[in-house]
Amino acid sequence: MDGAKYGEVLISVIIPVYNKEKYLCKCLDSVLAQTYGNIEVLLVDDASSDKSRDICDEYAKKDGRISVIYLEENHGASHARNVGLDRAEGEFFCFVDADDYTEKDMLRRLYDNLKENKADVSICAVDYIGFGAYTDKRPEGKGDIVLSGEEAVSCMIKRQFFDWGLWGKLYTRRKAMHCRFHEKIYSGEDILFLCQLFQRTQRVSVFSDKLYRYICRNDSVTKGGFHKRQYSESLVYEFLCRKLGEKQPELLPLLEQKILAVNVRLAVNAVECGEVKSRKLYGYLKRFRRNIRSHLNIRSLVLFEYRKIAAETVLLYISAEAFWIVLIFYKGLKGCFRKCA
């Protein structure tokens, strides 16, 4: 359908692609099936080594709305999104991950919601598939909620009404012209981007229909294991503590709790993966302990939903050595129970 013929403004859909051959077709089929017709789809291939490039080429040949941008070296999703932002021509834009998919009326509903509420950003609910008990924070069937930019920052940090992922959101391009992703931040970069954007916006409209399908993948980089690049997420929250602490002090306990959670998670993963040599592992644990000691307080500690994580945090606060010994003992104990079972 020629959307421009019906007076529809152009929406740019930016999709970073890196080795997603197993999921890419389903993602692209869902985007191309949108009932909102006037879209451009920017596929930014971040030097994939599988068949993702071939799939991008195949779809681009079939549908003129698709443009493929080939990067010769892998730089990460932040760089790919920045490239997509630089190339986007739409008055509005959204991000879709190459291993997720959308409902066919997502863009139409996001755009209508944005215009009806005279908003700069429109947000729908997200269906988190494969995350166990985790759900989007907005119950279905509720009416639209319109927030100021400052209120949107607060709701995002509190995970109230919507989550801090880039997905399931339609952005006004003129409001985001000076917003970019920090390319040295490998985890938490979406929070930084959204904070930049919300601070430039007057109205953010949220509605409760789940139109974006976010899939938990076992092969995701952020799924388990130990990756030292994930430490950058702690730096994000430390920056936000400084940036938002004076203006929105009620957010400080939440941000400090996130710093504690990131550092104890990385400490647990570093010990349990069994891949980090002892001397380097002890160096990591001391760094994580320093961060925990800088931010642990009663206000942040009581925010932990799970007592186990709170206990691990306190243990690491007391001693890196004790933390290491207890986790190794606990890991061995779990292994014995599995063998007995």
Side-chain angles (χ1 to χ4, degrees), residues 10 36 40 88 214 217 272 310:
L10 181 65
Y36 190 98
E40 64 167 359
Y214 184 84
R217 306 287 184 190
E272 291 189 343

Side-chain angles (χ1 to χ4, degrees), residues 215-254:
I215 315 298
C216 176
R217 306 287 184 190
N218 290 327
D219 56 355
S220 169
V221 172
T222 57
K223 179 73 172 177
F226 176 72
H227 309 277
K228 63 181 180 180
R229 282 185 167 187
Q230 292 175 1
Y231 179 70
S232 61
E233 187 176 357
S234 181
L235 301 178
V236 168
Y237 293 122
E238 289 173 24
F239 170 79
L240 291 178
C241 279
R242 298 190 297 271
K243 183 80 171 174
L244 303 176
E246 290 187 11
K247 196 171 183 181
Q248 296 174 273
E250 75 280 2
L251 299 179
L252 269 177
L254 283 164

Side-chain angles (χ1 to χ4, degrees), residues 31-67:
V31 171
L32 295 174
Q34 291 296 305
T35 57
Y36 190 98
N38 195 21
I39 64 174
E40 64 167 359
V41 181
L42 300 172
L43 300 177
V44 186
D45 184 88
D46 195 18
S48 294
S49 57
D50 65 358
K51 294 180 180 178
S52 293
R53 284 198 171 197
D54 296 334
I55 295 171
C56 290
D57 285 339
E58 179 185 342
Y59 273 80
K61 289 175 183 176
K62 294 190 296 185
D63 197 310
R65 295 175 294 175
I66 295 179
S67 298

Side-chain angles (χ1 to χ4, degrees), residues 174-192:
R174 61 182 170 78
K175 293 290 184 178
M177 287 179 64
H178 302 293
C179 298
R180 286 295 180 272
F181 292 91
H182 195 304
E183 297 186 9
K184 297 300 182 182
I185 298 294
Y186 301 97
S187 184
E189 74 284 354
D190 43 359
I191 305 170
L192 277 183

Side-chain angles (χ1 to χ4, degrees), residues 51-87:
K51 294 180 180 178
S52 293
R53 284 198 171 197
D54 296 334
I55 295 171
C56 290
D57 285 339
E58 179 185 342
Y59 273 80
K61 289 175 183 176
K62 294 190 296 185
D63 197 310
R65 295 175 294 175
I66 295 179
S67 298
V68 187
I69 304 162
Y70 301 103
L71 304 182
E72 295 306 317
E73 295 181 13
N74 178 259
H75 295 283
S78 289
H79 178 75
R81 291 187 181 113
N82 284 337
V83 170
L85 284 171
D86 291 336
R87 289 282 296 271

